[in-house]
Amino acid sequence: MPCLLAGGCATGKARPAASASAAVPPLAGTWQGVLDVDATTHLRAILHLVHAASGWTATFDSPDQSGFGIPARNVLVDAARVHAEVPDVPFTYDASVDGNRLLGTLSWKGRPFALNLARRAASAQAAAATPTPVPPIVPPTVPPSAEGIWSGALDINGIRLRLVLKIRHVATGWAATLDSIDQNVRDIPVDTVTAAGDELKLTLGRINGTYKGRVAGDKMSGTWTQNGQSWPLDLSRTDHPPGTVARPQEPKRPLPYRELELLVENRAAGATLACTLTEPPGAGPFGAVVMATGSGPQDRDEALMGHRPFLVLADALTRAGVAVLRCDDRGVAKSTGTYGTATTMDFVDDTLAEVAALRMRPEIAPAHVGIVGHSEGGEIAAIAAAKSKEVAFIVMLAGPAVPGDQTLDLQRGWAEKAAGATDQAVAESKKYWDQAFVILKSDKETGVAERELRAIYDGLPAGDRAQLEQAGGFGPLARKLLSPWMRGFIALDPRPYLARLKVPVLALNGELDRQVLPRENLPEMKKALRHDADVTVRELPGLNHLFQTAKTGAVTEYAQLDETMSPAVLKLVSDWVARHAK
């Protein structure tokens, strides 16, 4: 989250001096307000606007996070509006001028938060000459007894996930991270730590999770909420937290091939993509693939649920004689750029930039560069190959072949039935969601769309609405649905792009895939690709969305399986790519 929403602000307390010129522009001075993050988190925000001969400058303060003098760039001020960007966080602030008020929106990673500011001084001249003292700093607090390492486990439909929460005091207040041991994920950042008495609340925006607990000595009892569902979670203080789970298929060093760290520029997007290129022994030229990740912010290994499938697959491909480029998504890990405002089409552009970078390398055969994509990445591979003649072949691993709204309907329907819902209940749920999709697929302005979504939300059955309220209510849900990626994804139909392909295609789905259901997707895939001369479309028995050998295919099963990817799939993909990369 941005500094105005969480930790990480600069701590220098110097504030810019206002211009001493007698003709101070009317908007110069100090403006303040309150940012409502959620129902219980309210952060003071202060904007300093300064005008000099060279133009306007601006800084932000977040007193409740001990952050001061956070510099803004691309500051635009006129009689009607104010615009400022803070790329280091990143967030933008846009406001219209209404007398002594700025009526605006702070946008962070595609999430808009209302932020209205009022002038701090009685007049612009007073603000320029005598800045009003900042209110006393009140750093975030947690109960002193909460500092330390806490361990516990979630029980999700019989599947046990061990968690380790680490709370520590830092110079700017308090910080916390979360480890999910059985998912092999460490140091998930906690965005805010707030407390009242012995009650503690943590928010983790990256995974859409919250924890509300009550501290009593070395015990903490509370509730974990994520993506609309809640489970009890009790934690105990410990000096010996559990370790992470070993994944036997991950490659062990020394490796029989070269690894190079590369940067790929997508200049049009202002993004620098941090990548790893693995190359077989020898001088080449090598056939090569770019790997395209699935939905959500992903690193180059597509790390999720304690597995690193792209690391394992890249290892298999490189051992088969193929060079492999895998990159962190824009705005993720070591890559720059903004993830939160990007769409599927933006990720297509990133992938094509990676293809172009590979083709320029002397050890790579430029006519033999393909794309291997998983889930949404499979869709990205198909669109990229339809748009560019530089893509020689593609592999679609669990790539969808139906529009995004249908993909989400199918996912939800399976999950609801697995949880015991009747066919009638699933149909009722689909009715409400389909109404929402119609709104989201339209070109309606965000504010109009939000009001129409609110009307649907208010008309939900009481039980459904109560469950959503436990996850934060309408606000978080609306921000997720109205994000640029979501609006683009649900409207995107991959079939027209598949129908344009003239390159070899390998399309695989697991029989137990519950995210891209094979029964509905593979027939559409075959139909759209029937014109292509070199196409292999297969449903693989007993495999889930990650191509693990599974029992149910449920998402909650992923972390419980030692296998990262079926050895049979690794060989099938490696052999196919090796043949087509020559």
Side-chain angles (χ1 to χ4, degrees), residues 291-295 302 304 309-310 313 371-382 394-404 407-408 410-411 485 489 494 498 505-522 525 529 536-540 543-548 553 555 558 564-565 569 572-573:
M291 303 190 78
T293 62
S295 303
E302 203 187 40
L304 74 167
F310 273 17
L313 180 55
I371 302 172
V372 176
H374 175 242
S375 195
E376 185 192 7
E379 191 171 27
I380 288 168
I394 66 169
V395 178
M396 300 178 68
L397 299 174
V402 299
T407 296
L408 297 180
L410 291 166
Q411 286 179 7
W485 177 85
F489 178 78
L498 293 168
V505 178
L506 174 64
L508 305 176
N509 265 85
E511 174 196 16
L512 300 180
D513 191 333
R514 309 310 187 192
Q515 294 181 258
V516 178
L517 278 66
R519 181 180 299 176
E520 289 77 12
N521 279 273
L522 290 185
M525 182 80 69
L529 291 171
T536 300
V537 179
R538 287 183 58 184
E539 178 180 325
L540 303 177
L543 303 183
N544 63 15
H545 186 65
L546 301 187
F547 294 91
Q548 299 168 299
V555 173
Y558 298 169
T564 295
M565 187 175 287
V569 173
L572 171 61
V573 174

Side-chain angles (χ1 to χ4, degrees), residues 207-484:
I207 59 175
N208 195 29
T210 61
Y211 178 64
K212 295 180 180 179
R214 184 182 298 273
V215 179
D218 288 337
K219 302 291 184 182
M220 192 185 312
S221 59
T223 301
W224 172 263
T225 300
Q226 186 175 14
N227 297 326
Q229 294 184 279
S230 297
W231 300 272
L233 175 59
D234 296 335
L235 304 170
S236 299
R237 194 189 306 275
T238 180
D239 293 327
H240 304 286
T244 56
V245 177
R247 298 303 183 191
Q249 289 178 289
E250 293 192 359
K252 308 295 189 299
R253 298 181 184 281
L255 300 171
Y257 50 79
R258 295 187 297 274
E259 286 184 296
L260 300 89
E261 297 299 306
L262 303 180
L263 296 177
V264 174
E265 299 289 340
N266 181 348
R267 291 186 174 86
T272 300
L273 306 169
C275 311
T276 296
L277 174 62
T278 53
E279 294 180 339
F286 307 109
V289 295
V290 166
M291 303 190 78
T293 62
S295 303
Q298 301 279 356
D299 67 13
R300 67 194 73 186
D301 296 330
E302 203 187 40
L304 74 167
M305 298 293 185
H307 293 277
R308 295 192 284 175
F310 273 17
L311 172 65
V312 172
L313 180 55
D315 176 74
L317 286 165
T318 310
R319 291 174 189 265
V322 179
V324 181
L325 183 70
R326 61 188 200 276
C327 305
D328 300 330
D329 290 350
R330 64 165 72 182
V332 175
K334 295 182 179 180
S335 290
T336 69
T338 303
Y339 181 90
T341 57
T343 66
T344 301
M345 291 303 184
D346 293 322
F347 298 130
V348 170
D349 292 341
D350 289 346
T351 301
L352 287 174
E354 293 159 12
V355 169
L358 267 189
R359 286 167 50 88
M360 293 177 64
R361 296 185 65 84
E363 75 274 27
I364 301 300
H368 301 285
V369 177
I371 302 172
V372 176
H374 175 242
S375 195
E376 185 192 7
E379 191 171 27
I380 288 168
I383 297 171
K387 293 180 65 174
S388 172
K389 295 181 180 180
E390 293 186 347
V391 180
F393 56 86
I394 66 169
V395 178
M396 300 178 68
L397 299 174
V402 299
D405 55 347
Q406 292 184 34
T407 296
L408 297 180
D409 266 338
L410 291 166
Q411 286 179 7
R412 189 181 57 257
W414 183 88
E416 289 173 352
K417 286 185 178 180
T422 64
D423 289 343
Q424 181 179 352
V426 171
E428 187 72 11
S429 172
K430 183 178 185 301
K431 180 185 73 174
Y432 288 108
W433 278 105
D434 286 351
Q435 291 173 10
F437 289 152
V438 170
I439 297 167
L440 295 169
K441 288 193 292 185
S442 72
D443 58 0
K444 293 178 179 178
E445 185 268 335
T446 299
V448 174
E450 183 173 359
R451 287 193 294 273
E452 294 184 4
L453 290 174
R454 180 80 214 202
I456 296 174
Y457 183 89
D458 290 342
L460 290 172
D464 293 344
R465 195 165 61 251
Q467 187 179 55
L468 291 171
E469 288 295 328
Q470 289 181 348
F474 176 75
L477 177 62
R479 287 191 291 270
K480 179 180 179 180
L481 292 176
L482 291 166
S483 70

Side-chain angles (χ1 to χ4, degrees), residues 31-34 45-47 60 93 95 98 100-104 115-119:
W31 303 76
Q32 71 175 12
V34 175
I46 300 172
L47 169 64
F60 285 88
Y93 181 64
D98 181 19
N100 285 328
R101 297 187 303 164
L102 300 180
L103 307 181
L115 178 57
N116 299 329
L117 304 176
R119 189 183 294 281

Side-chain angles (χ1 to χ4, degrees), residues 11 13 15 44 62-68 134-140 172:
T11 57
K13 296 185 180 180
R15 292 179 180 79
R44 288 172 294 166
S62 182
D64 298 310
Q65 297 172 309
S66 301
F68 297 92
V134 173
I137 296 172
V138 182
T172 55

